[in-house]
Amino acid sequence: MPETINFIVKDKSFEKFAMMMLLGTTADAMETKTNFFFTFWGLNLLVKKFKPKVAGMPFPMKGMGAKIFGKRMAKFGIEDPWGMIKEAVENGNLKLYPCQMTMDLMGIKKEDLYDFIEEPVGAATFLEMSEGGRIVSL
Amino acid sequence: MPETINFIVKDKSFEKFAMMMLLGTTADAMETKTNFFFTFWGLNLLVKKFKPKVAGMPFPMKGMGAKIFGKRMAKFGIEDPWGMIKEAVENGNLKLYPCQMTMDLMGIKKEDLYDFIEEPVGAATFLEMSEGGRIVSL
Amino acid sequence: MPETINFIVKDKSFEKFAMMMLLGTTADAMETKTNFFFTFWGLNLLVKKFKPKVAGMPFPMKGMGAKIFGKRMAKFGIEDPWGMIKEAVENGNLKLYPCQMTMDLMGIKKEDLYDFIEEPVGAATFLEMSEGGRIVSL
């Protein structure tokens, strides 16, 4: 069994969301365990009401860009990204951790977040969790 | 022999190009193997006609910035970055992989890309390839 | 003892500064060794006179954002971030390395930098240093 991969997600862009979703669900399909630690702006991606925008497009396209990419991804069979993420969580391979300090700093509450995520953790817990495994900062 | 380092390149900036070039060719000189997986906007860096811009400069300098840095780097003996990359590829130490899904999503074709790169791969192949090695997302 | 974690810091934003500070000082408290390699714009974070701005806020807030976050972090007991970093350096767990080539490219001198940092190193030394350990590009 390959070692767990521990990802840090620090941005709230559509690109980061898509990478998280693709890596997490692909790893799930391979029975590889992944932990994602959402810190700073990245925590927004776990907020139910949040709609990520495409960072790498010029200003007026940022919001529209996410819709365009969403439609194109649907053609590749990715019609319900959060549904796929939830399934990977339920399979026990994917874990999504909100950063405790970011929640406190930004005033984000547990009930604002999707309900299939783990309890908030701090940097020390993340470092402990990732001992012996790989750390990738997306 | 140290383990292979597997880099993810997700941006198209001059900075990311320079980091990829410096890390890949330095590793080659040390006989360390590196794989680079180009996904999202990062795939543009493998397009022959593409000219990267400096992301970390104010708007009117972004294009010019790459020329300025290019000239300064030439003084450090880096006169032909892609030539150095190609040499590292030919030495068998550096491998450049385009992301299959990004090619499909963005309509980029194999013939648009440099001819010394590997066949496109998906996220699953990248994760398999990197088992037992390190993953670094630039 | 867990292996050393080798971080690459390539941006000069307040967010990257905060991540570096939190990860480096948390690891110090856990007796985990970390090396931080500051390259490209990231080198600015080691310049004594430099004030990082918040990258993830709209333009007029970028400078003010750092003050707001600084105040909020003070409420969590982080009143003197550089003092905490210096302490971790003195404990022998945290090492801050400026990238030699970046110093040359940008004309930044040793005396511009904090005096508790290590001697400048190049990419080859960084790769050697990180052999057998983890590499994380923030």
Side-chain angles (χ1 to χ4, degrees), chain A residues 2-3 5 15-16 18-19 22-23 26-27 30 54 56-57 69 72-73 76 78 134-138, chain B residues 6 8 10 12 39-41 101 104-106 123-124 126-128 130-138:
Chain A
E3 52 186 353
I5 315 178
E15 290 95 318
K16 291 296 160 72
M19 285 184 75
L22 288 166
L23 288 166
T26 303
M30 298 163 70
V54 175
M57 279 187 164
F69 274 111
R72 290 198 199 160
M73 284 165 72
F76 289 89
I78 303 167
R134 292 180 281 187
I135 302 176
V136 182
S137 179
L138 285 184
Chain B
N6 304 279
I8 300 173
K10 56 201 183 284
K12 62 183 178 181
T39 185
F40 277 87
W41 311 109
M101 191 182 188
D104 295 340
L105 278 174
M106 301 202 178
F126 173 73
L127 286 176
E128 268 171 33
S130 66
E131 263 177 39
R134 293 181 280 187
I135 301 176
V136 183
S137 178
L138 284 185

mmCIF file of all heavy atoms in Angstrom, chain A residues 2-3 5 15-16 18-19 22-23 26-27 30 54 56-57 69 72-73 76 78 134-138, chain B residues 6 8 10 12 39-41 101 104-106 123-124 126-128 130-138:
data_model
loop_
_atom_site.group_PDB
_atom_site.id
_atom_site.type_symbol
_atom_site.label_atom_id
_atom_site.label_comp_id
_atom_site.label_asym_id
_atom_site.label_seq_id
_atom_site.Cartn_x
_atom_site.Cartn_y
_atom_site.Cartn_z
ATOM 1 N N PRO A 2 0.624 2.151 -0.921
ATOM 2 C CA PRO A 2 1.423 3.376 -0.939
ATOM 3 C C PRO A 2 1.068 4.272 0.251
ATOM 4 O O PRO A 2 -0.022 4.176 0.812
ATOM 5 C CB PRO A 2 1.028 4.042 -2.251
ATOM 6 C CG PRO A 2 -0.301 3.489 -2.594
ATOM 7 C CD PRO A 2 -0.398 2.142 -1.970
ATOM 8 N N GLU A 3 2.011 5.127 0.607
ATOM 9 C CA GLU A 3 1.803 5.998 1.766
ATOM 10 C C GLU A 3 0.755 7.075 1.465
ATOM 11 O O GLU A 3 0.499 7.410 0.321
ATOM 12 C CB GLU A 3 3.123 6.665 2.127
ATOM 13 C CG GLU A 3 3.736 7.344 0.916
ATOM 14 C CD GLU A 3 5.122 7.911 1.151
ATOM 15 O OE1 GLU A 3 5.592 7.916 2.287
ATOM 16 O OE2 GLU A 3 5.717 8.360 0.155
ATOM 17 N N ILE A 5 -0.938 10.636 1.017
ATOM 18 C CA ILE A 5 -0.480 11.926 0.511
ATOM 19 C C ILE A 5 -1.278 13.015 1.220
ATOM 20 O O ILE A 5 -2.502 12.961 1.275
ATOM 21 C CB ILE A 5 -0.654 12.061 -1.016
ATOM 22 C CG1 ILE A 5 -0.178 10.785 -1.727
ATOM 23 C CG2 ILE A 5 0.134 13.268 -1.539
ATOM 24 C CD1 ILE A 5 -0.355 10.821 -3.238
ATOM 25 N N GLU A 15 -9.324 26.479 -10.112
ATOM 26 C CA GLU A 15 -8.234 25.570 -10.491
ATOM 27 C C GLU A 15 -7.844 24.677 -9.322
ATOM 28 O O GLU A 15 -7.618 23.477 -9.484
ATOM 29 C CB GLU A 15 -7.000 26.366 -10.939
ATOM 30 C CG GLU A 15 -7.156 27.086 -12.267
ATOM 31 C CD GLU A 15 -7.578 28.545 -12.085
ATOM 32 O OE1 GLU A 15 -8.456 28.818 -11.230
ATOM 33 O OE2 GLU A 15 -7.016 29.407 -12.804
ATOM 34 N N LYS A 16 -7.732 25.277 -8.136
ATOM 35 C CA LYS A 16 -7.338 24.495 -6.961
ATOM 36 C C LYS A 16 -8.440 23.510 -6.585
ATOM 37 O O LYS A 16 -8.163 22.385 -6.186
ATOM 38 C CB LYS A 16 -6.998 25.411 -5.773
ATOM 39 C CG LYS A 16 -5.722 26.206 -5.965
ATOM 40 C CD LYS A 16 -4.484 25.341 -6.074
ATOM 41 C CE LYS A 16 -3.316 26.066 -6.724
ATOM 42 N NZ LYS A 16 -2.722 27.078 -5.876
ATOM 43 N N ALA A 18 -10.522 22.132 -8.675
ATOM 44 C CA ALA A 18 -10.488 21.054 -9.670
ATOM 45 C C ALA A 18 -9.323 20.099 -9.414
ATOM 46 O O ALA A 18 -9.477 18.876 -9.522
ATOM 47 C CB ALA A 18 -10.409 21.644 -11.084
ATOM 48 N N MET A 19 -8.171 20.638 -9.035
ATOM 49 C CA MET A 19 -7.017 19.765 -8.749
ATOM 50 C C MET A 19 -7.309 18.884 -7.538
ATOM 51 O O MET A 19 -6.993 17.694 -7.542
ATOM 52 C CB MET A 19 -5.760 20.601 -8.469
ATOM 53 C CG MET A 19 -5.155 21.199 -9.723
ATOM 54 S SD MET A 19 -3.608 22.091 -9.342
ATOM 55 C CE MET A 19 -2.477 20.710 -9.091
ATOM 56 N N LEU A 22 -9.862 16.208 -8.617
ATOM 57 C CA LEU A 22 -9.300 15.190 -9.504
ATOM 58 C C LEU A 22 -8.289 14.296 -8.780
ATOM 59 O O LEU A 22 -8.311 13.069 -8.933
ATOM 60 C CB LEU A 22 -8.634 15.855 -10.722
ATOM 61 C CG LEU A 22 -9.616 16.462 -11.721
ATOM 62 C CD1 LEU A 22 -8.889 17.375 -12.702
ATOM 63 C CD2 LEU A 22 -10.337 15.337 -12.484
ATOM 64 N N LEU A 23 -7.405 14.913 -7.975
ATOM 65 C CA LEU A 23 -6.399 14.112 -7.263
ATOM 66 C C LEU A 23 -7.064 13.234 -6.196
ATOM 67 O O LEU A 23 -6.747 12.057 -6.062
ATOM 68 C CB LEU A 23 -5.339 15.015 -6.629
ATOM 69 C CG LEU A 23 -4.373 15.669 -7.630
ATOM 70 C CD1 LEU A 23 -3.584 16.789 -6.962
ATOM 71 C CD2 LEU A 23 -3.401 14.614 -8.190
ATOM 72 N N THR A 26 -9.249 10.472 -7.932
ATOM 73 C CA THR A 26 -8.393 9.509 -8.643
ATOM 74 C C THR A 26 -7.677 8.618 -7.641
ATOM 75 O O THR A 26 -7.591 7.396 -7.819
ATOM 76 C CB THR A 26 -7.363 10.251 -9.525
ATOM 77 O OG1 THR A 26 -8.067 11.094 -10.433
ATOM 78 C CG2 THR A 26 -6.497 9.284 -10.311
ATOM 79 N N ALA A 27 -7.147 9.231 -6.582
ATOM 80 C CA ALA A 27 -6.462 8.451 -5.543
ATOM 81 C C ALA A 27 -7.441 7.461 -4.921
ATOM 82 O O ALA A 27 -7.092 6.299 -4.673
ATOM 83 C CB ALA A 27 -5.883 9.384 -4.480
ATOM 84 N N MET A 30 -7.789 4.460 -6.840
ATOM 85 C CA MET A 30 -6.585 3.618 -6.758
ATOM 86 C C MET A 30 -6.392 3.078 -5.340
ATOM 87 O O MET A 30 -5.355 2.488 -5.048
ATOM 88 C CB MET A 30 -5.366 4.447 -7.146
ATOM 89 C CG MET A 30 -5.405 4.981 -8.572
ATOM 90 S SD MET A 30 -4.195 6.352 -8.774
ATOM 91 C CE MET A 30 -2.646 5.416 -8.667
ATOM 92 N N VAL A 54 -12.263 31.250 -11.678
ATOM 93 C CA VAL A 54 -11.036 30.844 -12.356
ATOM 94 C C VAL A 54 -9.973 31.939 -12.192
ATOM 95 O O VAL A 54 -10.134 33.046 -12.697
ATOM 96 C CB VAL A 54 -11.307 30.563 -13.851
ATOM 97 C CG1 VAL A 54 -10.009 30.252 -14.582
ATOM 98 C CG2 VAL A 54 -12.285 29.396 -13.988
ATOM 99 N N GLY A 56 -6.842 32.061 -13.287
ATOM 100 C CA GLY A 56 -5.939 32.280 -14.409
ATOM 101 C C GLY A 56 -6.592 32.862 -15.640
ATOM 102 O O GLY A 56 -6.091 32.717 -16.747
ATOM 103 N N MET A 57 -7.719 33.544 -15.482
ATOM 104 C CA MET A 57 -8.386 34.211 -16.607
ATOM 105 C C MET A 57 -8.446 35.703 -16.321
ATOM 106 O O MET A 57 -8.445 36.103 -15.158
ATOM 107 C CB MET A 57 -9.802 33.663 -16.789
ATOM 108 C CG MET A 57 -9.838 32.347 -17.538
ATOM 109 S SD MET A 57 -11.571 31.871 -17.893
ATOM 110 C CE MET A 57 -11.318 30.617 -19.146
ATOM 111 N N PHE A 69 -15.578 25.827 -17.667
ATOM 112 C CA PHE A 69 -14.807 24.630 -17.333
ATOM 113 C C PHE A 69 -15.713 23.532 -16.775
ATOM 114 O O PHE A 69 -15.538 22.354 -17.064
ATOM 115 C CB PHE A 69 -13.696 24.941 -16.334
ATOM 116 C CG PHE A 69 -12.439 25.422 -16.997
ATOM 117 C CD1 PHE A 69 -12.012 26.730 -16.864
ATOM 118 C CD2 PHE A 69 -11.673 24.548 -17.767
ATOM 119 C CE1 PHE A 69 -10.855 27.175 -17.486
ATOM 120 C CE2 PHE A 69 -10.515 24.981 -18.385
ATOM 121 C CZ PHE A 69 -10.111 26.297 -18.249
ATOM 122 N N ARG A 72 -17.329 21.816 -19.651
ATOM 123 C CA ARG A 72 -16.391 20.954 -20.389
ATOM 124 C C ARG A 72 -16.052 19.702 -19.599
ATOM 125 O O ARG A 72 -15.909 18.621 -20.154
ATOM 126 C CB ARG A 72 -15.098 21.734 -20.703
ATOM 127 C CG ARG A 72 -15.318 22.814 -21.739
ATOM 128 C CD ARG A 72 -14.006 23.264 -22.335
ATOM 129 N NE ARG A 72 -14.129 24.570 -22.968
ATOM 130 C CZ ARG A 72 -13.108 25.365 -23.234
ATOM 131 N NH1 ARG A 72 -11.873 24.982 -22.925
ATOM 132 N NH2 ARG A 72 -13.286 26.521 -23.821
ATOM 133 N N MET A 73 -15.919 19.879 -18.262
ATOM 134 C CA MET A 73 -15.593 18.717 -17.430
ATOM 135 C C MET A 73 -16.749 17.730 -17.394
ATOM 136 O O MET A 73 -16.521 16.517 -17.307
ATOM 137 C CB MET A 73 -15.187 19.176 -16.026
ATOM 138 C CG MET A 73 -13.774 19.752 -16.015
ATOM 139 S SD MET A 73 -13.380 20.711 -14.515
ATOM 140 C CE MET A 73 -13.259 19.388 -13.319
ATOM 141 N N PHE A 76 -16.496 15.042 -19.734
ATOM 142 C CA PHE A 76 -15.544 13.978 -19.375
ATOM 143 C C PHE A 76 -16.114 13.099 -18.261
ATOM 144 O O PHE A 76 -15.394 12.351 -17.630
ATOM 145 C CB PHE A 76 -14.214 14.583 -18.923
ATOM 146 C CG PHE A 76 -13.442 15.202 -20.040
ATOM 147 C CD1 PHE A 76 -13.636 16.532 -20.391
ATOM 148 C CD2 PHE A 76 -12.533 14.443 -20.756
ATOM 149 C CE1 PHE A 76 -12.930 17.096 -21.431
ATOM 150 C CE2 PHE A 76 -11.821 15.013 -21.801
ATOM 151 C CZ PHE A 76 -12.023 16.330 -22.150
ATOM 152 N N ILE A 78 -17.523 14.234 -15.474
ATOM 153 C CA ILE A 78 -17.486 14.863 -14.148
ATOM 154 C C ILE A 78 -18.663 15.821 -14.054
ATOM 155 O O ILE A 78 -18.541 17.011 -14.312
ATOM 156 C CB ILE A 78 -16.146 15.611 -13.939
ATOM 157 C CG1 ILE A 78 -14.986 14.636 -14.118
ATOM 158 C CG2 ILE A 78 -16.097 16.261 -12.554
ATOM 159 C CD1 ILE A 78 -13.641 15.294 -14.246
ATOM 160 N N ARG A 134 3.785 11.829 2.463
ATOM 161 C CA ARG A 134 4.216 12.949 1.635
ATOM 162 C C ARG A 134 3.361 14.172 1.915
ATOM 163 O O ARG A 134 2.207 14.047 2.310
ATOM 164 C CB ARG A 134 4.120 12.553 0.161
ATOM 165 C CG ARG A 134 5.165 11.479 -0.146
ATOM 166 C CD ARG A 134 5.126 11.055 -1.568
ATOM 167 N NE ARG A 134 4.032 10.123 -1.811
ATOM 168 C CZ ARG A 134 3.863 9.485 -2.968
ATOM 169 N NH1 ARG A 134 4.703 9.687 -3.970
ATOM 170 N NH2 ARG A 134 2.859 8.661 -3.136
ATOM 171 N N ILE A 135 3.947 15.354 1.743
ATOM 172 C CA ILE A 135 3.219 16.613 1.871
ATOM 173 C C ILE A 135 3.309 17.330 0.533
ATOM 174 O O ILE A 135 4.403 17.486 -0.012
ATOM 175 C CB ILE A 135 3.833 17.534 2.948
ATOM 176 C CG1 ILE A 135 3.857 16.849 4.324
ATOM 177 C CG2 ILE A 135 3.060 18.853 3.033
ATOM 178 C CD1 ILE A 135 4.553 17.682 5.402
ATOM 179 N N VAL A 136 2.191 17.746 0.006
ATOM 180 C CA VAL A 136 2.170 18.487 -1.254
ATOM 181 C C VAL A 136 1.330 19.740 -1.045
ATOM 182 O O VAL A 136 0.163 19.654 -0.666
ATOM 183 C CB VAL A 136 1.562 17.658 -2.407
ATOM 184 C CG1 VAL A 136 1.599 18.438 -3.710
ATOM 185 C CG2 VAL A 136 2.275 16.322 -2.557
ATOM 186 N N SER A 137 1.928 20.908 -1.268
ATOM 187 C CA SER A 137 1.197 22.161 -1.150
ATOM 188 C C SER A 137 0.695 22.559 -2.529
ATOM 189 O O SER A 137 1.480 22.932 -3.394
ATOM 190 C CB SER A 137 2.128 23.227 -0.564
ATOM 191 O OG SER A 137 1.458 24.450 -0.465
ATOM 192 N N LEU A 138 -0.603 22.434 -2.752
ATOM 193 C CA LEU A 138 -1.149 22.689 -4.108
ATOM 194 C C LEU A 138 -1.050 24.159 -4.504
ATOM 195 O O LEU A 138 -1.121 25.025 -3.654
ATOM 196 C CB LEU A 138 -2.594 22.224 -4.183
ATOM 197 C CG LEU A 138 -2.800 20.709 -4.277
ATOM 198 C CD1 LEU A 138 -4.276 20.402 -4.444
ATOM 199 C CD2 LEU A 138 -2.028 20.126 -5.458
ATOM 200 N N ASN B 6 8.934 14.192 -8.432
ATOM 201 C CA ASN B 6 7.823 14.372 -9.372
ATOM 202 C C ASN B 6 7.193 15.741 -9.146
ATOM 203 O O ASN B 6 6.573 15.956 -8.101
ATOM 204 C CB ASN B 6 6.776 13.275 -9.152
ATOM 205 C CG ASN B 6 7.388 11.893 -9.259
ATOM 206 O OD1 ASN B 6 7.585 11.387 -10.351
ATOM 207 N ND2 ASN B 6 7.732 11.314 -8.115
ATOM 208 N N ILE B 8 4.648 18.922 -10.115
ATOM 209 C CA ILE B 8 3.425 19.349 -10.802
ATOM 210 C C ILE B 8 3.619 20.819 -11.179
ATOM 211 O O ILE B 8 3.979 21.631 -10.326
ATOM 212 C CB ILE B 8 2.185 19.217 -9.877
ATOM 213 C CG1 ILE B 8 1.988 17.762 -9.432
ATOM 214 C CG2 ILE B 8 0.933 19.741 -10.572
ATOM 215 C CD1 ILE B 8 0.888 17.582 -8.368
ATOM 216 N N LYS B 10 1.538 23.939 -12.643
ATOM 217 C CA LYS B 10 0.139 24.285 -12.892
ATOM 218 C C LYS B 10 -0.052 25.724 -13.358
ATOM 219 O O LYS B 10 -1.164 26.117 -13.678
ATOM 220 C CB LYS B 10 -0.689 24.026 -11.630
ATOM 221 C CG LYS B 10 -0.153 24.777 -10.424
ATOM 222 C CD LYS B 10 -0.604 24.172 -9.116
ATOM 223 C CE LYS B 10 -0.138 24.951 -7.922
ATOM 224 N NZ LYS B 10 1.262 24.814 -7.545
ATOM 225 N N LYS B 12 1.522 29.180 -15.810
ATOM 226 C CA LYS B 12 2.243 29.412 -17.065
ATOM 227 C C LYS B 12 3.181 30.596 -16.957
ATOM 228 O O LYS B 12 3.634 31.128 -17.964
ATOM 229 C CB LYS B 12 1.228 29.621 -18.186
ATOM 230 C CG LYS B 12 0.348 30.839 -17.968
ATOM 231 C CD LYS B 12 -0.692 30.969 -19.061
ATOM 232 C CE LYS B 12 -1.572 32.180 -18.756
ATOM 233 N NZ LYS B 12 -2.627 32.373 -19.741
ATOM 234 N N THR B 39 -0.036 20.601 -15.988
ATOM 235 C CA THR B 39 -1.496 20.535 -15.958
ATOM 236 C C THR B 39 -2.083 21.941 -15.887
ATOM 237 O O THR B 39 -1.375 22.896 -15.569
ATOM 238 C CB THR B 39 -1.950 19.640 -14.773
ATOM 239 O OG1 THR B 39 -3.354 19.474 -14.816
ATOM 240 C CG2 THR B 39 -1.567 20.236 -13.433
ATOM 241 N N PHE B 40 -3.370 22.080 -16.199
ATOM 242 C CA PHE B 40 -4.026 23.393 -16.263
ATOM 243 C C PHE B 40 -3.168 24.377 -17.074
ATOM 244 O O PHE B 40 -2.584 24.003 -18.078
ATOM 245 C CB PHE B 40 -4.319 23.925 -14.861
ATOM 246 C CG PHE B 40 -5.591 23.334 -14.339
ATOM 247 C CD1 PHE B 40 -5.560 22.117 -13.674
ATOM 248 C CD2 PHE B 40 -6.805 23.944 -14.564
ATOM 249 C CE1 PHE B 40 -6.745 21.535 -13.230
ATOM 250 C CE2 PHE B 40 -7.985 23.374 -14.107
ATOM 251 C CZ PHE B 40 -7.949 22.168 -13.441
ATOM 252 N N TRP B 41 -3.041 25.587 -16.602
ATOM 253 C CA TRP B 41 -2.326 26.621 -17.353
ATOM 254 C C TRP B 41 -0.863 26.245 -17.576
ATOM 255 O O TRP B 41 -0.237 26.697 -18.527
ATOM 256 C CB TRP B 41 -2.416 27.966 -16.631
ATOM 257 C CG TRP B 41 -3.815 28.283 -16.233
ATOM 258 C CD1 TRP B 41 -4.316 28.292 -14.973
ATOM 259 C CD2 TRP B 41 -4.918 28.592 -17.104
ATOM 260 N NE1 TRP B 41 -5.666 28.590 -14.992
ATOM 261 C CE2 TRP B 41 -6.059 28.764 -16.280
ATOM 262 C CE3 TRP B 41 -5.064 28.724 -18.482
ATOM 263 C CZ2 TRP B 41 -7.314 29.077 -16.797
ATOM 264 C CZ3 TRP B 41 -6.312 29.026 -19.004
ATOM 265 C CH2 TRP B 41 -7.412 29.194 -18.170
ATOM 266 N N MET B 101 -5.966 15.285 -19.812
ATOM 267 C CA MET B 101 -7.255 15.943 -19.655
ATOM 268 C C MET B 101 -7.156 17.433 -20.004
ATOM 269 O O MET B 101 -8.074 17.996 -20.612
ATOM 270 C CB MET B 101 -7.744 15.780 -18.226
ATOM 271 C CG MET B 101 -9.180 16.208 -18.072
ATOM 272 S SD MET B 101 -9.689 16.046 -16.339
ATOM 273 C CE MET B 101 -11.430 16.372 -16.541
ATOM 274 N N ASP B 104 -7.251 17.891 -23.712
ATOM 275 C CA ASP B 104 -8.622 17.748 -24.217
ATOM 276 C C ASP B 104 -9.467 18.970 -23.855
ATOM 277 O O ASP B 104 -10.194 19.505 -24.698
ATOM 278 C CB ASP B 104 -9.271 16.488 -23.630
ATOM 279 C CG ASP B 104 -8.565 15.217 -24.097
ATOM 280 O OD1 ASP B 104 -7.859 15.274 -25.126
ATOM 281 O OD2 ASP B 104 -8.708 14.193 -23.424
ATOM 282 N N LEU B 105 -9.362 19.431 -22.594
ATOM 283 C CA LEU B 105 -10.171 20.568 -22.132
ATOM 284 C C LEU B 105 -9.840 21.843 -22.894
ATOM 285 O O LEU B 105 -10.706 22.666 -23.164
ATOM 286 C CB LEU B 105 -9.942 20.833 -20.643
ATOM 287 C CG LEU B 105 -10.699 19.995 -19.616
ATOM 288 C CD1 LEU B 105 -10.204 20.335 -18.212
ATOM 289 C CD2 LEU B 105 -12.206 20.229 -19.693
ATOM 290 N N MET B 106 -8.562 22.040 -23.214
ATOM 291 C CA MET B 106 -8.136 23.298 -23.823
ATOM 292 C C MET B 106 -7.925 23.190 -25.333
ATOM 293 O O MET B 106 -7.536 24.173 -25.968
ATOM 294 C CB MET B 106 -6.833 23.785 -23.164
ATOM 295 C CG MET B 106 -6.975 24.016 -21.657
ATOM 296 S SD MET B 106 -5.711 25.148 -21.035
ATOM 297 C CE MET B 106 -6.178 25.261 -19.296
ATOM 298 N N ALA B 123 -4.123 11.868 -14.439
ATOM 299 C CA ALA B 123 -3.788 11.988 -13.017
ATOM 300 C C ALA B 123 -3.448 10.634 -12.396
ATOM 301 O O ALA B 123 -2.539 10.534 -11.559
ATOM 302 C CB ALA B 123 -4.945 12.637 -12.259
ATOM 303 N N ALA B 124 -4.149 9.567 -12.828
ATOM 304 C CA ALA B 124 -3.906 8.242 -12.242
ATOM 305 C C ALA B 124 -2.485 7.774 -12.567
ATOM 306 O O ALA B 124 -1.767 7.268 -11.707
ATOM 307 C CB ALA B 124 -4.932 7.240 -12.771
ATOM 308 N N PHE B 126 0.054 9.676 -13.301
ATOM 309 C CA PHE B 126 0.998 10.502 -12.548
ATOM 310 C C PHE B 126 1.131 9.995 -11.111
ATOM 311 O O PHE B 126 2.246 9.865 -10.589
ATOM 312 C CB PHE B 126 0.563 11.975 -12.550
ATOM 313 C CG PHE B 126 1.411 12.811 -11.642
ATOM 314 C CD1 PHE B 126 2.709 13.140 -11.985
ATOM 315 C CD2 PHE B 126 0.927 13.260 -10.410
ATOM 316 C CE1 PHE B 126 3.517 13.889 -11.128
ATOM 317 C CE2 PHE B 126 1.709 14.003 -9.556
ATOM 318 C CZ PHE B 126 3.017 14.335 -9.915
ATOM 319 N N LEU B 127 0.010 9.693 -10.465
ATOM 320 C CA LEU B 127 0.068 9.207 -9.081
ATOM 321 C C LEU B 127 0.804 7.865 -9.004
ATOM 322 O O LEU B 127 1.610 7.641 -8.099
ATOM 323 C CB LEU B 127 -1.337 9.091 -8.481
ATOM 324 C CG LEU B 127 -2.015 10.419 -8.114
ATOM 325 C CD1 LEU B 127 -3.446 10.180 -7.618
ATOM 326 C CD2 LEU B 127 -1.222 11.191 -7.050
ATOM 327 N N GLU B 128 0.566 6.991 -9.980
ATOM 328 C CA GLU B 128 1.277 5.700 -10.003
ATOM 329 C C GLU B 128 2.777 5.893 -10.175
ATOM 330 O O GLU B 128 3.584 5.288 -9.490
ATOM 331 C CB GLU B 128 0.783 4.856 -11.176
ATOM 332 C CG GLU B 128 -0.361 3.941 -10.832
ATOM 333 C CD GLU B 128 -0.943 3.303 -12.077
ATOM 334 O OE1 GLU B 128 -0.203 3.032 -13.053
ATOM 335 O OE2 GLU B 128 -2.169 3.107 -12.103
ATOM 336 N N SER B 130 4.563 8.325 -9.385
ATOM 337 C CA SER B 130 5.236 9.000 -8.280
ATOM 338 C C SER B 130 5.244 8.172 -6.995
ATOM 339 O O SER B 130 5.757 8.620 -5.981
ATOM 340 C CB SER B 130 4.574 10.348 -8.026
ATOM 341 O OG SER B 130 3.260 10.169 -7.570
ATOM 342 N N GLU B 131 4.705 6.961 -7.063
ATOM 343 C CA GLU B 131 4.703 6.105 -5.863
ATOM 344 C C GLU B 131 6.143 5.836 -5.414
ATOM 345 O O GLU B 131 6.990 5.477 -6.216
ATOM 346 C CB GLU B 131 3.989 4.788 -6.152
ATOM 347 C CG GLU B 131 2.546 4.813 -5.686
ATOM 348 C CD GLU B 131 1.806 3.548 -6.038
ATOM 349 O OE1 GLU B 131 2.371 2.462 -5.952
ATOM 350 O OE2 GLU B 131 0.615 3.672 -6.433
ATOM 351 N N GLY B 132 6.384 6.024 -4.129
ATOM 352 C CA GLY B 132 7.723 5.783 -3.597
ATOM 353 C C GLY B 132 8.676 6.938 -3.817
ATOM 354 O O GLY B 132 9.798 6.939 -3.329
ATOM 355 N N GLY B 133 8.226 7.957 -4.563
ATOM 356 C CA GLY B 133 9.065 9.136 -4.772
ATOM 357 C C GLY B 133 8.417 10.340 -4.153
ATOM 358 O O GLY B 133 7.386 10.256 -3.492
ATOM 359 N N ARG B 134 9.028 11.471 -4.389
ATOM 360 C CA ARG B 134 8.484 12.700 -3.818
ATOM 361 C C ARG B 134 7.590 13.405 -4.824
ATOM 362 O O ARG B 134 7.775 13.252 -6.028
ATOM 363 C CB ARG B 134 9.636 13.607 -3.378
ATOM 364 C CG ARG B 134 10.387 12.965 -2.216
ATOM 365 C CD ARG B 134 11.522 13.816 -1.734
ATOM 366 N NE ARG B 134 12.688 13.660 -2.591
ATOM 367 C CZ ARG B 134 13.875 14.195 -2.300
ATOM 368 N NH1 ARG B 134 14.032 14.933 -1.227
ATOM 369 N NH2 ARG B 134 14.898 14.002 -3.114
ATOM 370 N N ILE B 135 6.612 14.156 -4.333
ATOM 371 C CA ILE B 135 5.752 14.970 -5.193
ATOM 372 C C ILE B 135 5.903 16.413 -4.738
ATOM 373 O O ILE B 135 5.780 16.700 -3.550
ATOM 374 C CB ILE B 135 4.260 14.581 -5.067
ATOM 375 C CG1 ILE B 135 4.034 13.111 -5.436
ATOM 376 C CG2 ILE B 135 3.392 15.476 -5.950
ATOM 377 C CD1 ILE B 135 2.578 12.657 -5.232
ATOM 378 N N VAL B 136 6.174 17.306 -5.664
ATOM 379 C CA VAL B 136 6.300 18.726 -5.355
ATOM 380 C C VAL B 136 5.432 19.500 -6.328
ATOM 381 O O VAL B 136 5.612 19.388 -7.541
ATOM 382 C CB VAL B 136 7.757 19.217 -5.462
ATOM 383 C CG1 VAL B 136 7.854 20.685 -5.068
ATOM 384 C CG2 VAL B 136 8.689 18.373 -4.602
ATOM 385 N N SER B 137 4.493 20.285 -5.804
ATOM 386 C CA SER B 137 3.642 21.103 -6.673
ATOM 387 C C SER B 137 4.229 22.504 -6.722
ATOM 388 O O SER B 137 4.200 23.224 -5.733
ATOM 389 C CB SER B 137 2.223 21.101 -6.100
ATOM 390 O OG SER B 137 1.393 21.909 -6.895
ATOM 391 N N LEU B 138 4.808 22.866 -7.858
ATOM 392 C CA LEU B 138 5.526 24.155 -7.955
ATOM 393 C C LEU B 138 4.560 25.334 -7.911
ATOM 394 O O LEU B 138 3.421 25.216 -8.293
ATOM 395 C CB LEU B 138 6.337 24.213 -9.252
ATOM 396 C CG LEU B 138 7.624 23.402 -9.248
ATOM 397 C CD1 LEU B 138 8.382 23.666 -10.546
ATOM 398 C CD2 LEU B 138 8.530 23.775 -8.085
#
